[in-house]
Amino acid sequence: QVQLVESGGGLVQAGESLRLSCAASGSFFSIIAMAWYRQSPGKQRELVASITSGGTTNYADSVKGRFAISRDNAKNTVYLQMNSLKPEDTAVYYCNLLESLRSSWGQGIQVTVSS
């Protein structure tokens, strides 16, 4: 079983930065990628950024140039550096771990950006 624990969320003003962390623990089977998703009230969950086991990254168009995903393999931790935050970035952010046989989710963490 995999446990994902997110941290680093909170309330900031527009233009400020936050860094989210997601620490994974448990037994892993062939990790494919780790990712961050977000969901705002009334909207579907959307992919924000992902990073494969080989280090290839992918970003939603809305966050390109502002967000950066990275991982520390030794700590089984993935990070999301969020700069130049906008009110529309307000959402619950979820960490995801994709393995060959399963997909695991964190409990989610709130990010609120005030204008």
Side-chain angles (χ1 to χ4, degrees):
Q1 188 173 356
V2 173
Q3 293 82 39
L4 301 174
V5 179
E6 299 115 332
S7 61
L11 171 64
V12 297
Q13 292 187 334
E16 295 183 340
S17 299
L18 277 176
R19 189 175 84 151
L20 303 182
S21 300
C22 173
S25 61
S27 298
F28 309 114
F29 301 95
S30 185
I31 296 175
I32 296 172
M34 296 188 75
W36 288 96
Y37 288 73
R38 67 187 180 187
Q39 187 168 19
S40 304
K43 295 185 178 181
Q44 289 188 332
R45 191 171 296 187
E46 64 173 354
L47 176 67
V48 177
S50 65
I51 183 166
T52 69
S53 57
T56 300
T57 58
N58 181 54
Y59 296 93
D61 287 343
S62 60
V63 306
K64 283 180 180 177
R66 300 189 298 123
F67 290 11
I69 189 170
S70 61
R71 62 189 291 176
D72 184 333
N73 291 331
K75 297 181 179 180
N76 290 322
T77 300
V78 65
Y79 305 96
L80 185 67
Q81 177 66 42
M82 305 185 293
N83 300 324
S84 302
L85 282 161
K86 303 176 181 180
E88 50 264 43
D89 294 318
T90 295
V92 177
Y93 284 70
Y94 297 90
C95 177
N96 176 264
L97 173 65
L98 179 63
E99 300 171 85
S100 57
L101 297 178
R102 65 187 170 189
S103 177
S104 304
W105 293 90
Q107 78 285 357
I109 192 165
Q110 179 70 44
V111 171
T112 302
V113 184
S114 63
S115 57

